[in-house]
Amino acid sequence: MLGDKILEMLKEEIPQKEYERYIKNLSYDEKSSKADLAVYIAPNIFIANWVKNRYTQKLSHLFETHTGIKTDIKILTGKKEVIKKETKSAEPQTPSTTSTKINPPYTFENFVVGSSNQFAYTAALSVAEKPGKVYNPLFIYGGVGLGKTHLLHAIGNYNIKEKTVIYATIEQFMNDFIYHLRNHNPEGFREKYRKCDILLIDDIQFLSGKDKTQEEFFHTFNELHTEGKQIVLTSDQHPKKIAGLEERLKSRFEWGLIADIQPPELETKIAIIKKKCELNRIELDEEIINYLAANMDSNIREIEGVILKLNAYSTLVGQKITLDLAKNVLSEQKKDQQKNITLQDIVQVVASDLNVKPSEIKSKSRNRQIANARRMVIYLARTLTPNSMPALAQFFGMKDHTSVSHAMKKVKELIEKDADFKLKIEELAHKIKSNASEQS
Ligand code: ADP
Ligand code: MG
């Protein structure tokens, strides 16, 4: 095959070690390739990135000299596809996947406590110790990757031996409900969700707009609550702020205790990284730990991802994890993340947060609130995407880039002067990035 032949040709041009370590592991994906596109599958992300960074040009050049056609090179990791396939086949009509199992490592012992999460941690622990007796429901809310799911599972793990515990995301709850309805067995559903001792429901914000499921959840809630059974819920926002949620549910969610989780401070981030290294038996120098904590966003899931990547990479090439390697992996990660952020996503996030319409942001309205939202979108777009000022001007239908640079200046001033404004911008950036990393 041509793709393989090209690799053989590349072999002649590069050090043998490089070939053995990276190139040899690629397989040519004939199905996805075209006359002007060559697709290779790498066994993992490290090899993929390595080849992408070092050999794309060479490969492209070899193709062109061989076929006379200018060829783009794409290096994919096989893993992603495999995962996709697995999740697809794991969506059968049977409800066995509807409430996932409690994840054993998500315990209170493994949860690092700092001032950002102390309140939620303490509340969760009290509920775990005395289910149904202290706060009912317990409602935990906060941004992506800050430990909400971890705390839910911790409550589950704490009680799993003595009590009937159900953990489900609200989507699983919904799917389960629909499944039982279709099979004319709503009783089976009720038997399950209304007869447990502890009901842990994750990401309740996705109830929004789902009227039938809200109705069912309302009754589930009431029955459990009357029986003194513990209910714990999580969400990305305070119940009051969840749009499309019935008032009667909102008010019930406020009956017990509402606890928020904030992004971790630097020391907590460092402690969490150390904990993750210990649990995964990974050795990282103090210098690297500090670097990661200082240069990464507060999404712990992402930080964990980078640690695991670093470790896998160093195992793969049989080298110690160095600061340079950490810097490389981090910058790759940032680039990958940027790819997933579109201007439309930014408009969407800012619009919904500031309560204006997306179309208004792109309009020429001089209304103060809209103009403010527009400036924020411009600033976020400049800092989170590779778009140039002229490109942004075009996107907003502005005459030229001076309006963009004016908006940038204004936002920078506000960030300097106004602490609340600065916080808002950080929060929005965090949300946009989290959305993007969920997609990747
Ligand atoms: P959320 O549900 O808020 O999006 P998760 O609970 O899934 O976040 O947390 C993401 C990852 O970060 C998990 O692996 C979790 O163990 C870890 N994590 C978050 N906060 C902490 C913490 N305080 N201590 C230890 N691990 C944490
Ligand atoms: Mg979660």
Side-chain angles (χ1 to χ4, degrees):
M1 244 181 292
L2 177 62
D4 300 322
K5 213 164 157 187
I6 298 288
L7 293 188
E8 287 296 316
M9 289 159 75
L10 182 64
K11 186 180 177 182
E12 306 300 317
E13 296 189 12
I14 63 175
Q16 195 195 340
K17 260 205 181 135
E18 284 277 308
Y19 177 82
E20 295 289 327
R21 220 173 247 166
Y22 305 103
I23 306 301
K24 213 175 97 184
N25 291 308
L26 299 177
S27 58
Y28 183 58
D29 183 351
E30 200 187 3
K31 271 202 194 124
S32 316
S33 300
K34 296 181 206 138
D36 59 350
L37 172 74
V39 181
Y40 287 97
I41 308 288
N44 58 48
I45 184 93
F46 317 106
I47 295 189
N49 282 340
W50 190 276
V51 176
K52 244 189 248 170
N53 291 339
R54 287 173 198 242
Y55 297 113
T56 309
Q57 264 187 355
K58 268 207 164 87
L59 283 168
S60 174
H61 186 73
L62 283 171
F63 269 97
E64 193 174 346
T65 46
H66 202 77
T67 61
I69 302 170
K70 204 167 163 35
T71 309
D72 279 334
I73 307 293
K74 225 183 196 169
I75 314 288
L76 303 174
T77 49
K79 216 171 116 215
K80 250 191 188 158
E81 285 180 346
V82 174
I83 290 171
K84 265 192 200 142
K85 269 187 213 138
E86 275 170 8
T87 39
K88 243 194 192 153
S89 61
E91 284 174 295
Q93 280 70 27
T94 57
S96 55
T97 54
T98 47
S99 58
T100 35
K101 290 203 189 86
I102 309 278
N103 192 355
Y106 283 179
T107 59
F108 286 114
E109 292 76 44
N110 288 343
F111 192 84
V112 175
V113 187
S115 56
S116 57
N117 57 29
Q118 169 125 44
F119 185 47
Y121 170 86
T122 313
L125 187 58
S126 328
V127 159
E129 286 168 346
K130 292 198 180 99
K133 299 277 185 313
V134 274
Y135 319 112
N136 207 11
L138 170 62
F139 192 102
I140 301 172
Y141 77 94
V144 184
L146 301 184
K148 300 182 297 295
T149 299
H150 187 133
L151 285 178
L152 267 196
H153 282 261
I155 296 171
N157 275 314
Y158 195 97
N159 285 284
I160 199 137
K161 292 215 179 88
E162 287 96 40
K163 299 209 154 42
T164 322
V165 181
I166 293 198
Y167 166 86
T169 64
I170 193 66
E171 278 176 318
Q172 290 166 334
F173 178 90
M174 186 167 72
N175 291 340
D176 212 0
F177 177 51
I178 295 169
Y179 170 83
H180 279 91
L181 279 191
R182 277 209 193 118
N183 289 286
H184 311 290
N185 184 18
E187 279 318 306
F189 179 81
R190 286 170 193 155
E191 187 64 28
K192 175 172 169 187
Y193 285 94
R194 298 188 191 181
K195 294 283 180 292
C196 60
D197 300 312
I198 301 178
L199 180 63
L200 309 167
I201 299 285
D202 215 351
D203 293 323
I204 198 94
Q205 71 272 16
F206 294 120
L207 252 188
S208 112
K210 314 265 170 35
D211 296 347
K212 276 231 171 94
T213 314
Q214 290 196 24
E215 169 88 26
E216 184 62 28
F217 190 73
F218 176 73
H219 296 297
T220 308
F221 184 101
N222 288 344
E223 191 153 328
L224 288 171
H225 198 271
T226 315
E227 295 288 319
K229 308 295 190 190
Q230 181 69 48
I231 303 159
V232 188
L233 309 166
T234 72
S235 163
D236 64 345
Q237 278 185 322
H238 190 283
K240 271 210 184 81
K241 285 186 84 183
I242 305 177
L245 192 63
E246 289 176 18
E247 281 307 319
R248 56 180 188 171
L249 279 175
K250 284 190 188 176
S251 76
R252 271 165 183 73
F253 293 170
E254 294 184 56
W255 276 356
L257 182 73
I258 299 184
D260 66 330
I261 300 193
Q262 295 294 328
E265 326 71 46
L266 190 63
E267 307 90 86
T268 312
K269 261 206 259 184
I270 291 176
I272 295 175
I273 297 176
K274 287 185 174 160
K275 185 83 190 176
K276 293 292 172 191
C277 287
E278 179 196 315
L279 291 172
N280 292 296
R281 301 212 177 80
I282 294 171
E283 270 185 51
L284 283 186
D285 289 345
E286 201 75 22
E287 190 190 20
I288 299 174
I289 294 176
N290 292 342
Y291 179 81
L292 292 177
N295 290 284
M296 286 200 71
D297 212 32
S298 48
N299 184 338
I300 311 293
R301 196 176 306 144
E302 245 170 65
I303 299 184
E304 215 175 341
V306 167
I307 299 175
L308 295 177
K309 251 187 217 176
L310 275 174
N311 189 52
Y313 189 90
S314 95
T315 317
L316 187 83
V317 300
Q319 278 168 11
K320 205 172 157 328
I321 302 172
T322 60
L323 185 60
D324 273 345
L325 181 60
K327 284 181 181 170
N328 272 337
V329 169
L330 215 59
S331 87
E332 281 301 323
Q333 160 119 346
K334 287 203 171 137
K335 269 191 226 148
D336 277 353
Q337 213 176 33
Q338 281 204 345
K339 271 190 220 136
N340 283 328
I341 299 177
T342 67
L343 294 176
Q344 207 49 45
D345 297 337
I346 299 178
V347 170
Q348 214 73 39
V349 169
V350 174
S352 94
D353 195 275
L354 300 188
N355 238 332
V356 301
K357 294 204 192 86
S359 57
E360 289 173 330
I361 291 189
K362 286 184 74 178
S363 74
K364 296 211 159 53
S365 164
R366 286 174 185 266
N367 168 296
R368 254 183 76 188
Q369 204 181 349
I370 296 172
N372 183 43
R374 188 181 303 127
R375 272 202 294 270
M376 287 167 117
V377 170
I378 291 174
Y379 176 84
L380 289 163
R382 265 301 274 169
T383 45
L384 300 178
T385 74
N387 281 290
S388 64
M389 294 220 240
L392 288 178
Q394 195 183 10
F395 179 79
F396 286 101
M398 294 165 163
K399 244 199 323 218
D400 56 33
H401 74 276
T402 44
S403 319
V404 174
S405 84
H406 189 74
M408 290 296 293
K409 203 169 139 220
K410 180 81 193 169
V411 171
K412 282 181 192 156
E413 269 170 34
L414 284 168
I415 289 178
E416 290 275 309
K417 272 202 311 231
D418 182 346
D420 281 343
F421 183 86
K422 180 170 178 237
L423 214 63
K424 185 86 226 159
I425 287 279
E426 280 169 2
E427 186 190 315
L428 289 168
H430 177 69
K431 204 163 186 180
I432 294 161
K433 284 192 262 178
S434 301
N435 288 351
S437 66
E438 301 255 293
Q439 284 162 21
S440 65

